[in-house]
Amino acid sequence: KAGVTQTPRYLIKTRGQQVTLSCSPISGHRSVSWYQQTPGQGLQFLFEYFSETQRNKGNFPGRFSGRQFSNSRSEMNVSTLELGDSALYLCASSLGGAYNEQFFGPGTRLTVL
Amino acid sequence: SQQGEEDPQALSIQEGENATMNCSYKTSINNLQWYRQNSGRGLVHLILIRSNEREKHSGRLRVTLDTSKKSSSLLITASRAADTASYFCATDAIGAAGNKLTFGGGTRVLVKP
């Protein structure tokens, strides 16, 4: 099976712009989660989608949003970018149950100038 | 905020030695997982231990879980240079809807050849 893919891998934006990141989960996986990783805050949960519904949300401002399509692919959007949004954004997919391991993609490295 | 604290934050050992790292968490959990991350890349799932399990093995990995102390340990035996990476524990809390992993701060492991 192909792994989790994320596009783009690298992105440079300026403050105030918006960005959309994409994640394609492993075939058959219905759960997609997003995480932000920074040197200062570590790995933090953004949100999780399951069958096109947001099932869980972390403590991030409303500028961070996401969605999931019927084929389980997911996108996350960050509007009005701030310097502090520079991070590695990781997407993970799983079957969706409570005891399922999550499979991570390689991440999108976002730099905000 | 991070659920867990990992100890030590960094570890340097010689090839062939064992590496042990610990993770403590705060709330009751469904399961605890360990992940490895190589230099800013995606996370690789290593092992999942359920809250009703006390020990689990996978190849050169041994994980223990003590729910009364809210702690876990990961032992890597006969380490290799390729084990150089950051290791993270992740938990999902009982009662939380869906998948929402909370990660510890990680242990950076350097295996010297």
Side-chain angles (χ1 to χ4, degrees):
Chain A
K1 274 186 181 178
V4 177
T5 58
Q6 291 187 247
T7 56
R9 292 291 311 279
Y10 301 91
L11 206 48
I12 299 175
K13 292 286 188 178
T14 56
R15 279 180 298 175
Q17 287 186 310
Q18 75 165 19
V19 67
T20 299
L21 312 181
S22 181
C23 171
S24 292
I26 291 172
S27 177
H29 285 190
R30 296 165 66 188
S31 168
V32 174
S33 299
W34 289 88
Y35 295 84
Q36 182 197 64
Q37 185 177 28
T38 60
Q41 298 298 317
L43 278 153
Q44 293 192 289
F45 174 81
L46 280 156
F47 27 66
E48 183 220 3
Y49 287 87
F50 182 85
S51 293
E52 301 180 66
T53 300
Q54 187 180 85
R55 191 162 65 169
N56 225 322
K57 191 177 188 304
N59 296 323
F60 279 82
R63 299 185 297 107
F64 292 81
S65 63
R67 59 177 175 168
Q68 187 180 34
F69 302 94
S70 58
N71 62 357
S72 293
R73 190 177 69 86
S74 176
E75 289 181 346
M76 69 163 279
N77 184 277
V78 187
S79 63
T80 319
L81 284 166
E82 300 177 359
L83 295 179
D85 297 333
S86 294
L88 181 67
Y89 289 88
L90 294 162
C91 161
S93 78
S94 75
L95 291 170
Y99 298 106
N100 294 139
E101 64 184 274
Q102 294 197 29
F103 294 84
F104 281 80
T108 294
R109 173 77 61 185
L110 172 64
T111 301
V112 181
L113 303 176
Chain B
S1 63
Q2 290 173 347
Q3 157 85 299
E5 297 290 332
E6 293 187 55
D7 169 54
Q9 289 189 341
L11 185 58
S12 180
I13 55 175
Q14 293 294 137
E15 210 166 21
E17 293 181 339
N18 295 342
T20 300
M21 58 210 84
N22 304 295
C23 165
S24 61
Y25 56 91
K26 297 173 185 172
T27 62
S28 296
I29 61 172
N30 284 320
N31 62 66
L32 184 143
Q33 304 180 47
W34 285 91
Y35 288 85
R36 183 186 76 225
Q37 184 178 38
N38 291 88
S39 190
R41 298 181 185 175
L43 278 71
V44 174
H45 182 268
L46 295 176
I47 198 164
L48 180 153
I49 185 165
R50 299 186 182 193
S51 59
N52 62 354
E53 297 176 313
R54 292 295 166 257
E55 188 171 311
K56 205 159 182 182
H57 297 255
S58 176
R60 295 183 294 112
L61 306 179
R62 172 178 170 258
V63 167
T64 62
L65 178 64
D66 187 334
T67 53
S68 67
K69 295 181 180 177
K70 292 186 169 59
S71 68
S72 173
S73 68
L74 170 67
L75 167 68
I76 305 173
T77 60
S79 62
R80 306 166 181 168
D83 295 328
T84 294
S86 291
Y87 292 81
F88 296 88
C89 67
T91 56
D92 65 344
I94 285 179
N99 291 320
K100 178 185 176 181
L101 291 181
T102 304
F103 284 85
T107 295
R108 293 188 312 278
V109 175
L110 172 63
V111 181
K112 293 180 279 188

